[in-house]
Structure formats: C-alpha cells, structure tokens
Amino acid sequence: MAATLTSPVKRLALASTEGVTWHDGRPFTADDVAFTLKRAIDVPNNLGGFAGIIRPIKDTEVVGPTVIRLTTTSPVPNLPSDLTRLAIVSRHAGTDATTADYNSGKAAIGTGPFKLVSYTPGERVEFARNDNWWGEKPAWTTLTIRLIPNTAARTAALLSGDLDLIDTPSASDLPRLEKSENIHVASVAGMRVNYIVPMIKPAEDAPPITDKKGAKLDPSPLTSQKVREALSIAINRAGITERIMLGTANPTGQWLPPGIMGYDPKTPVPAYDPEKAKRLLAEAGFPNGFKITLSTSNDRVPYSVEVAQAIAQMWSRIGVDTAIDAIPFSVYSSRGAKSQFTAYLGSWSNNSMEGTGLLRDLVGTRNKETGWGLYNWAQYSNSKLDALNASAIAEIDDTKREALVLDAVKLVSTDVAILPLYHFKNIWATRGKVFYQPRIDELTLAVDVKHK
C-alpha cells in the first residue's frame, strides 16, 4: 500500500495495489479494509484487540474500489505503521463469520502467497501455494507449520530430518547445532522484551499477597514504588541471561533495544543489589518481607518457567517468599485479562518498532473511549505518563516525538511500572540446502526461506 498524508496529518489516504485478489478469485477492495476496521474494534473471542490503533479514526470513507480515506480525531503519525499489524479480512467471507469459521478455513480467505488447506489446533497448519499471488512466486508448492512448544523436541525433529526449519531452538542445543555440517544457525538481536508486571489493582480472586503468617495485606505492597524497586534490583538480570538463557538474551532496564527510536542510553540495566532491596522493603514498612505469587505461561515463551523459578529464589533472599504459578497460555491470557494475577511474567514484541505502542497498550490508563490500556492487566495509572504518551502519539516531528518517548521511558523506569528483564535474540536453525535470513521482528516467513 502507498500512503499520503494531508492537512495536517489528520487525513490519511491509502491506495491499494491494483490487481490484488482474494484466494477465491474475488477482487480485494477498499470496502474490505473498511469492513476490517469496523470488525477489529470488537473481534469475537479476542483477549486484546486493536482498539488503541483504530479508536483515533473518526471517519472511514471508501472513495473508490482501491482507495479508502481515513480521518482521525488528531494527528496520528504512527497510524500507517500501526495499521500494518492489522490483517485485512474480506467482507464477503467475514460477515457474520465465527472463530470456528476461520479455524475451519471457511472464512480464512487471504491475499497472500499461500492458501490455507487445513488447521489442526495445537498441532499443525497446512498451506498450498497461491499461484495467482500478485508478488514473486514462492519457491515452495506446499508448506506445513508444526506447532511444537518443547524446544528439545523441535531440535530433535530438525536433526532427524522431519523438519527443514525451526525457530528458537534450545539454547543448550546451539553448540551441537552449530557444529553440525548439515545444520545452519542464523541469529539477530530481537525486539521482544520479557518483563514482570506488579499488579496494582488485582481482582478479588487473584492470589493474595500475605504477611509471613498468611494474613492478607491490604493495600497491596506493590502499590509502593519502593517495594517495586526492591523487587527489581533483587533480580540478577545478567545472571539470568548468562546461566539460564545461555547468552540467547541481553539484559535490559527498558522495553526497547538499542538502535530503536525511543531507546534511552541513559536508562541502565538495574544493578543487582539485594542489600539495598532489603533496605527499601524496610523503608516501605515491610522489614520482614511478605508472600507473593508470580504467574507465568509455561508453553509460549522459551525459559519462562525457569526464569520465574530463578526470580522466585532471588526474591526469597530479600524476604519475599515467592510461589510460582505456571499455566498454559490459554489459561494465562484469560486470567490475565481478568486481572487474576498478583504479579506476572510477560512478553512484548515491540513490533511497532517505537516506544508508544507499549506506553499506550500496557501502561496507559484503561480507557474504552480511546482504546488505551488493552493489556494493562495491572490497572496501573499515571496521569503524567498518560499526558506524555498522548503528546508523543500526536507529535508529527520525529525529533520531538522521540524526546517525549525518552521522557516516558525515564518515568516508567523511575516509577517501576514494569520490571524489564531482557531482550531475546531471534534464532533460527535450518537443515541441508535450506537457509533463512534472520529478522529483527522475529517473523518466520515462508517466502523468505531460500533453497540453495
């Protein structure tokens, strides 16, 4: 798509590529985009959504078969890049479609280089090449994506010849893979950050924070900035990345990695200081510590359980006895959306490649009208931070917008709204004559898999 901005960044005209068709042969039109924008506000069975991206759009006008005009309530310079996160669905297949219709393939009609053949939840997805695709014809006639959460099992399948490519191989297997003559390993520093979120207003049925005798503490100790800071500096981030991640991640004190707009070189990795952490707990009124539960998914992000267990040990050393609640992501995401955690280990992809996405969706005050706070399960709220983010989102001057984001990064760090831990390295391993160029956005695209 080509984009033009006019008068003054409040109106956005998007011109679609001529000749693009859906997999069933019907033309892709601006009306499909309008349908998608309306549907995405409230996608059935979706735990998050795209409201933060779409709410600024106050008017959608289909100008012609291949042109749509969007008018926003205020300047939104990141709107073109934000919209790339939204997959377009067709009106003719998507009207009244259910999740089951998409899973079965009935409504899963796209415009991409591969057509969906079948989807087996939790097991595999099968595709066939779309020979009518508007781009360069892919080298592969069929494609099978297998869903294998266990990293060791993925490595075994690659080595046995059952798979041609895997992502995020086990860190402990990397030396073996790199020494294999028939295996190729490719990696690049990634955008995804792992962090801990202290719940400010957990639900009534969330695991309670108690004193050492089991009495519930109210208000929660996590409402204290000193307590949140104590928990942060009690974590040995370098130790985690070296001993658990085995060098496949880089420790951090912020959600953006170096080289990305909004990264602040003056915000360091928090120094590991358990003695200071104990002093901060005492100053906050908890000299004997307390008991807490740290939740994590056990089947989505590599090493989440091991990292959570390590953090539990580190927190226990400063008097914060920590129980681990490791659950499948389907349960984790549902409970998180209901704020049924006390604290949780989370992950953010930073796929907008700048700082305002996380500010708006994770730490922005929940607001249905603006769509902010979609993933703010902690119900954290900071009016000064909201004002900074609102200014950054609407600022059309890149230099000024970056300065605003940097101010927000410092505020999030000072208030310890979240506890950033590390950025992943994106790693792929391929077999034989198959090669993959590593991507900073961690996507694995079949059209980029090459055969040499």
Side-chain angles (χ1 to χ4, degrees), residues 355-402:
T356 61
L358 181 142
L359 287 169
R360 178 191 62 211
D361 293 340
L362 188 66
V363 294
T365 300
R366 283 184 171 181
N367 186 317
K368 290 185 178 181
E369 291 184 4
T370 63
W372 283 26
L374 281 173
Y375 300 98
N376 187 351
W377 299 345
Q379 299 194 54
Y380 173 82
S381 181
N382 185 318
S383 59
K384 184 177 179 181
L385 181 62
D386 288 341
L388 269 174
N389 195 27
S391 297
I393 288 175
E395 179 54 63
I396 62 175
D397 183 282
D398 287 345
T399 301
K400 292 180 180 179
R401 184 166 69 254
E402 182 168 21

Side-chain angles (χ1 to χ4, degrees), residues 2-84:
T4 58
L5 302 175
T6 60
S7 184
V9 202
K10 287 189 178 182
R11 180 164 289 178
L12 171 66
L14 299 176
S16 67
T17 305
E18 297 284 350
V20 176
T21 60
W22 295 99
H23 289 157
D24 59 4
R26 297 179 63 165
F28 165 69
T29 69
D31 182 61
D32 294 313
V33 178
F35 169 76
T36 299
L37 290 173
K38 182 177 180 180
R39 181 181 184 276
I41 284 290
D42 186 22
V43 179
N45 301 314
N46 186 36
L47 295 172
F50 301 93
I53 296 173
I54 299 172
R55 290 292 185 198
I57 301 172
K58 71 174 183 179
D59 185 57
T60 300
E61 179 186 357
V62 176
V63 178
T66 61
V67 178
I68 188 170
R69 180 175 293 118
L70 309 177
T71 303
T72 60
T73 55
S74 63
V76 189
N78 285 336
L79 185 61
S81 61
D82 280 344
L83 288 176
T84 63

Side-chain angles (χ1 to χ4, degrees), residues 336-360:
K338 299 172 185 175
S339 298
Q340 294 174 331
F341 295 145
T342 304
Y344 71 90
L345 183 63
S347 179
W348 192 269
S349 67
N350 282 307
N351 53 15
S352 65
M353 295 196 177
E354 49 81 49
T356 61
L358 181 142
L359 287 169
R360 178 191 62 211

Side-chain angles (χ1 to χ4, degrees), residues 209-227:
I209 297 181
T210 71
D211 63 18
K212 292 301 181 69
K213 295 181 180 180
K216 183 177 180 179
L217 295 174
D218 190 16
S220 166
L222 300 183
T223 59
S224 167
Q225 184 274 342
K226 287 186 176 181
V227 170

Side-chain angles (χ1 to χ4, degrees), residues 161-446:
D162 196 28
L163 298 176
D164 295 308
L165 177 151
I166 62 173
D167 65 359
T168 59
S170 170
S172 60
D173 288 332
L174 282 177
R176 177 187 179 190
L177 292 173
E178 290 169 342
K179 291 178 182 179
S180 175
E181 294 184 359
N182 198 42
I183 301 296
H184 322 287
V185 177
S187 67
V188 66
M191 301 282 291
R192 181 173 294 277
V193 62
N194 255 30
Y195 51 82
I196 289 173
V197 175
M199 303 295 284
I200 304 302
K201 295 181 181 179
E204 287 295 325
D205 54 353
I209 297 181
T210 71
D211 63 18
K212 292 301 181 69
K213 295 181 180 180
K216 183 177 180 179
L217 295 174
D218 190 16
S220 166
L222 300 183
T223 59
S224 167
Q225 184 274 342
K226 287 186 176 181
V227 170
R228 299 195 298 270
E229 183 180 354
L231 294 177
S232 180
I233 63 176
I235 299 172
N236 185 345
R237 291 163 171 81
I240 288 174
T241 57
E242 291 170 6
R243 298 169 195 169
I244 297 177
M245 309 295 291
L246 300 178
T248 59
N250 298 313
T252 188
Q254 55 191 297
W255 61 93
L256 291 171
I260 301 300
M261 194 279 277
Y263 170 78
D264 180 20
K266 296 181 180 179
T267 296
V269 177
Y272 174 51
D273 194 341
E275 293 307 314
K276 181 180 178 181
K278 292 177 183 178
R279 293 196 299 271
L280 286 171
L281 286 178
E283 292 172 9
F286 304 98
N288 298 319
F290 47 83
K291 294 183 177 181
I292 192 173
T293 298
L294 176 62
S295 299
T296 181
S297 66
N298 60 11
D299 58 358
R300 183 169 182 255
V301 178
Y303 306 105
S304 288
V305 176
E306 294 87 346
V307 169
Q309 291 170 338
I311 291 172
Q313 294 177 8
M314 294 172 188
W315 283 357
S316 295
R317 291 176 193 144
I318 65 169
V320 179
D321 296 346
T322 307
I324 297 302
D325 173 35
I327 50 181
F329 182 72
S330 58
V331 179
Y332 166 93
S333 55
S334 178
R335 284 178 52 191
K338 299 172 185 175
S339 298
Q340 294 174 331
F341 295 145
T342 304
Y344 71 90
L345 183 63
S347 179
W348 192 269
S349 67
N350 282 307
N351 53 15
S352 65
M353 295 196 177
E354 49 81 49
T356 61
L358 181 142
L359 287 169
R360 178 191 62 211
D361 293 340
L362 188 66
V363 294
T365 300
R366 283 184 171 181
N367 186 317
K368 290 185 178 181
E369 291 184 4
T370 63
W372 283 26
L374 281 173
Y375 300 98
N376 187 351
W377 299 345
Q379 299 194 54
Y380 173 82
S381 181
N382 185 318
S383 59
K384 184 177 179 181
L385 181 62
D386 288 341
L388 269 174
N389 195 27
S391 297
I393 288 175
E395 179 54 63
I396 62 175
D397 183 282
D398 287 345
T399 301
K400 292 180 180 179
R401 184 166 69 254
E402 182 168 21
L404 290 166
V405 173
L406 291 177
D407 286 342
V409 169
K410 294 171 185 174
L411 181 54
V412 170
S413 176
T414 301
D415 201 33
V416 201
I418 58 174
L419 285 59
L421 301 175
Y422 48 83
H423 290 110
F424 283 99
K425 293 180 182 178
N426 298 337
I427 304 173
W428 291 263
T430 58
R431 182 176 61 86
K433 296 183 179 181
V434 176
F435 293 84
Y436 193 72
Q437 181 68 34
R439 297 173 59 100
I440 189 173
D441 60 9
E442 73 188 39
L443 294 179
T444 303
L445 303 181

